[in-house]
Amino acid sequence: MTYRPTVRGRRLARELRRLREAQGLTLQEVADRLDWSRATVSRLETAQTRPRPNDIADILDLYGVPSPDRDALITLAREAGQRGWWTAYADVFTGSYVALEDEASRIRTWDTQLIHGLLQTEDYARAVITAGRMLPGPEEIERRIAARKARQALLDREHAPHLHLIVEEGALLRPIGGREVMRNQLSALAVAAERPRITIQVLPFNIGAHAGLDGRFTILSFPDPADPDIAYVEGTMGDVYLESAEAIATHGDRFARIAAASLSPEDSAHLIAEAARSSP
């Protein structure tokens, strides 16, 4: 099964690289001393492989890391290696996004075309998946809908993340799935906007040129300050995860500019409710 690194997995990988560099060792030198391949060490430092506590213990012994730091990192390796609920849908979810989203404390997302997956109704999701994925049969479609429902449970947790969604007005008017499906989706969106940890804004048509013209993106933030924000850009040719301070600052500024150009949450809620009522 393909390993999808969690936030803890990424944190462990960063710490392993920091410790190696502090010792002045190259990847090959570490590999030679542990009788591993260079690729094995590299994959651990880039969170491309599931960390095994025994391997992490060996590498920490090489670096001379004492307890309690040693114990804490081995515990982190155990936590990073645990399989999350999403592994049951490994045939649906690709990349690391869902594993990272699952641990986020704040999700900021901008989209020009669609209602965000976390807030999609079942019928709306079915229409989106059917049109966009070009799947061979109904079984595959229903499998993806089940996975999306499991993902949406994130918002019902006791410590649910704060979701800040900005969507272009056109996404409210495009009758995906037909008029009735769209009316029900807009009604559900209006209800979601009343939840305390969900903020929804609409960017109106009359704004013209704006900071979001380059396309949709999401910024994930995490409760532990040791875990930097991640900007996620989804594309048909592959997904991109941006973690550098410069990239995060750029996307954070872009999101703030889009939010400033959008209707307030209150005015957006009125617009969404009106769109639901107006849908024939």
Side-chain angles (χ1 to χ4, degrees):
M1 183 178 294
T2 302
Y3 175 56
R4 316 292 189 199
T6 62
V7 174
R8 293 177 179 84
R10 287 176 176 245
R11 187 192 310 164
L12 176 64
R14 289 195 304 273
E15 187 63 14
L16 291 177
R17 179 175 179 178
R18 186 192 68 79
L19 289 168
R20 176 180 59 78
E21 292 176 343
Q23 293 293 317
L25 297 172
T26 66
L27 290 171
Q28 189 60 58
E29 287 171 336
V30 172
D32 290 343
R33 296 189 188 189
L34 293 174
D35 197 23
W36 294 353
S37 70
R38 183 183 183 280
T40 296
V41 182
S42 177
R43 286 195 295 269
L44 284 172
E45 289 191 4
T46 53
Q48 294 182 42
T49 189
R50 189 180 304 278
R52 297 186 299 182
N54 288 341
D55 290 343
I56 300 304
D58 289 342
I59 203 169
L60 295 178
D61 288 343
L62 174 63
Y63 298 157
V65 178
S67 294
D69 290 344
R70 180 183 185 278
D71 298 336
L73 288 171
I74 292 174
T75 298
L76 189 61
R78 293 194 182 97
E79 294 173 346
Q82 292 174 353
R83 299 181 186 276
W85 64 264
W86 55 86
T87 58
Y89 297 98
D91 56 319
V92 174
F93 297 121
T94 60
S96 302
Y97 179 78
V98 172
L100 299 172
E101 180 187 70
D102 192 68
E103 297 187 56
S105 58
R106 183 184 183 198
I107 303 170
R108 288 170 284 172
T109 186
W110 153 249
D111 203 326
T112 61
Q113 301 290 331
L114 298 171
I115 307 304
H116 193 275
L118 287 173
L119 299 179
Q120 291 178 3
T121 64
E122 180 176 334
D123 289 336
Y124 182 95
R126 181 175 288 106
V128 170
I129 292 169
T130 301
R133 297 289 181 175
M134 295 178 286
L135 297 171
E139 296 83 4
E140 290 79 4
I141 293 172
E142 295 306 314
R143 173 74 172 158
R144 289 180 177 271
I145 290 172
R148 188 155 302 190
K149 285 182 178 180
R151 177 186 166 203
Q152 290 175 343
L154 171 68
L155 297 180
D156 296 324
R157 294 178 184 172
E158 181 180 358
H159 300 291
H162 177 205
L163 173 64
H164 187 170
L165 165 66
I166 307 178
V167 64
E168 199 166 45
E169 184 177 359
L172 306 181
L173 304 178
R174 184 173 295 105
I176 290 177
R179 299 294 180 182
E180 183 177 357
V181 169
M182 195 64 204
R183 180 170 60 249
N184 292 337
Q185 173 63 76
L186 292 173
S187 297
L189 194 64
V191 172
E194 298 176 356
R195 298 176 65 169
R197 299 191 68 80
I198 297 178
T199 300
I200 300 175
Q201 290 183 263
V202 178
L203 182 71
F205 280 132
N206 61 12
I207 289 300
H210 56 81
L213 290 175
D214 285 344
R216 62 183 179 179
F217 63 89
T218 296
I219 304 173
L220 301 175
S221 302
F222 305 97
D224 194 321
D227 300 317
D229 290 356
I230 295 174
Y232 169 73
V233 182
E234 182 180 7
T236 56
M237 301 303 293
D239 302 336
V240 177
Y241 299 86
L242 305 170
E243 300 182 59
S244 71
E246 181 180 1
I248 295 301
T250 297
H251 281 75
D253 178 65
R254 189 186 302 276
F255 189 87
R257 289 172 181 267
I258 299 170
S262 299
L263 299 177
S264 68
E266 295 75 18
D267 289 341
S268 296
H270 290 315
L271 181 61
I272 293 168
E274 178 60 30
R277 289 191 296 268
S278 300
S279 183

